[in-house]
Amino acid sequence: MVFAALGVFMVAITRCPVSLAARAIRTVSVSRSSPTTMTSGSSRSDAFSAAPNERVLVPTSRWLSLLDELRGLGTFYVALTGGEPLAHPEFLTIARGVRERAFALRILTNGALVTEPLAGEIARLLPMAVELSLHGASAETHDRATATPGSFAAMLRGLDRLLQHGVTVVLKTPVTRLNEDELDGMRRIADGRGVPLRLDAMLTPRDDGDTGPLAYRATPAGLQRMYRALAEQGSLPREERVKGGANCGLGRTTLAIDPEGNVFPCMQWRRAPLGNVRETPLGVVWSGSEERERAAAVARAANDRLAEAGPALAAFPYCPALAQQLTGDPLQPDAGHVEQAEAAAQVRLASA
């Protein structure tokens, strides 16, 4: 298996600028557990290895009341992700709850479970976007990445059903050494359906700490190819850092909640939970957590460190949580990050 994943139902909150003093949550991640028929293909994986009957999960009624709390805390965006969110038996109940509370909704799925009736139900939700993972231009490559025969065909069926119902869809590709030679083919799949294709070479360890997915990082030639493609479409990643700013929403505007109700300051930052919403109101967890304050301080320190780290690193997006996992220091980029930043800088210079 390349990217094995236990099905986990997640609600992710997207980043949105907010003043640090307000301490409002603008983007949130809520995770739920559910079985899934295939991997999502990202390196989110076997995050929760305990058997379902050994875990105390957050009930649907609590997820709905959490949405009320999030509204009171100033949240704008909610994304349902996983694992595979569509495998959750209460997916539509919770997704409707998101929209009934006037949140913008994103759904991240592998597309395999999108039946014709479900595509219609999703269309009625008017999501901001449904994001599907594309891991190759061929069944051979895509199915190898997901370790699931038939996943490519299933994803395309789900994609086409959503499009037939007028749903806004985005294709996302984690660029790896498996698919780096198929970028043009994947672009044709996206362009032929009139949907955007987002490319990103960042891979992460599995949630149990297994770094196996990193063995599939794109080669230097693959990185150059990807960044040239991004430059051609005007989407080469670039950060504008100034001293005193913040690297990201870590501890400030983002939040993740796992299936057991543990709260974390983002999807990747799992050093210690801020608290548990089965036991404590979310607002109390958010406002009273020293771990959240430490995470927010890391976001500020990372920005200032990178602003002085040279033009390549200063201009490239950075994940302190991933750095923590790979180097033991959230302020120390790993070699793979440096390689990506330098490749992007080379393409940026050549394109100037």
Side-chain angles (χ1 to χ4, degrees):
M1 283 192 176
V2 177
F3 302 128
L6 179 70
V8 177
F9 190 100
M10 292 215 166
V11 181
I13 298 176
T14 59
R15 268 190 343 207
C16 177
V18 61
S19 80
L20 183 60
R23 293 184 180 175
I25 306 170
R26 292 295 186 258
T27 61
V28 180
S29 303
V30 180
S31 316
R32 267 169 300 236
S33 169
S34 63
T36 186
T37 56
M38 64 180 63
T39 69
S40 66
S42 72
S43 55
R44 297 209 64 77
S45 61
D46 230 356
F48 309 100
S49 57
N53 61 1
E54 297 174 354
R55 299 159 59 196
V56 180
L57 305 179
V58 177
T60 298
S61 60
R62 180 60 180 127
W63 289 123
L64 295 176
S65 67
L66 277 169
L67 291 173
D68 293 328
E69 293 178 42
L70 289 169
R71 172 52 60 198
L73 291 167
T75 302
F76 291 159
Y77 304 95
V78 172
L80 307 181
T81 179
E84 177 46 57
L86 303 188
H88 193 282
E90 298 291 340
F91 166 77
L92 283 174
T93 298
I94 297 159
R96 289 172 184 140
V98 172
R99 295 297 289 127
E100 287 165 359
R101 290 157 178 80
F103 293 111
L105 171 64
R106 293 165 57 232
I107 302 168
L108 284 65
T109 172
N110 60 38
L113 299 181
V114 179
T115 62
E116 187 68 26
L118 182 56
E121 293 291 345
I122 290 173
R124 282 186 277 276
L125 293 170
L126 299 176
M128 183 167 61
V130 176
E131 302 181 9
L132 284 77
S133 295
L134 175 63
H135 297 285
S138 65
E140 179 182 4
T141 302
H142 184 100
D143 292 359
R144 182 183 175 190
T146 63
T148 306
S151 61
F152 181 68
M155 183 276 298
L156 290 179
R157 284 195 300 270
L159 167 62
D160 290 338
R161 286 166 178 160
L162 290 167
L163 292 175
Q164 288 165 8
H165 283 271
V167 177
T168 299
V169 175
V170 174
L171 289 176
K172 301 195 306 182
T173 293
V175 177
T176 70
R177 64 184 59 235
L178 299 180
N179 63 21
E180 62 185 27
D181 293 325
E182 299 184 9
L183 298 185
D184 290 342
M186 290 187 285
R187 173 62 61 193
R188 286 192 291 272
I189 289 173
D191 289 348
R193 290 168 169 81
V195 301
L197 175 66
R198 296 178 184 168
L199 305 175
D200 189 349
M202 186 180 80
L203 301 181
T204 65
R206 296 189 175 97
D207 285 350
D208 61 4
D210 179 7
T211 58
L214 303 188
Y216 295 91
R217 278 175 164 171
T219 66
L223 290 176
Q224 288 284 332
R225 192 176 302 119
M226 182 193 75
Y227 289 127
R228 285 197 298 270
L230 291 174
E232 289 172 2
Q233 63 187 46
S235 55
L236 192 64
R238 184 178 184 89
E239 295 288 322
E240 299 290 344
R241 300 185 189 277
V242 294
K243 292 279 288 184
N247 175 76
C248 58
L250 178 65
R252 303 166 52 252
T253 62
T254 61
L255 174 66
I257 306 175
D258 76 12
E260 287 84 5
N262 297 306
V263 181
F264 299 92
C266 84
M267 295 278 283
Q268 293 292 338
W269 189 270
R270 301 297 184 93
R271 294 202 312 184
L274 311 184
N276 189 290
V277 292
R278 295 199 332 267
E279 307 159 354
T280 310
L282 182 57
V284 174
V285 171
W286 178 257
S287 62
S289 170
E290 293 182 0
E291 178 65 19
R292 184 190 65 76
E293 295 283 0
R294 285 191 289 268
V298 164
R300 296 190 294 270
N303 175 79
D304 291 352
R305 173 79 66 88
L306 291 166
E308 299 177 340
L313 287 173
F316 197 71
Y318 179 70
C319 177
L322 181 57
Q324 173 70 42
Q325 294 177 62
L326 298 182
T327 71
D329 182 350
L331 304 183
Q332 179 60 53
D334 74 290
H337 178 86
V338 174
E339 182 179 44
Q340 290 185 43
E342 292 177 346
Q346 291 169 9
V347 171
R348 188 177 299 111
L349 183 62
S351 304

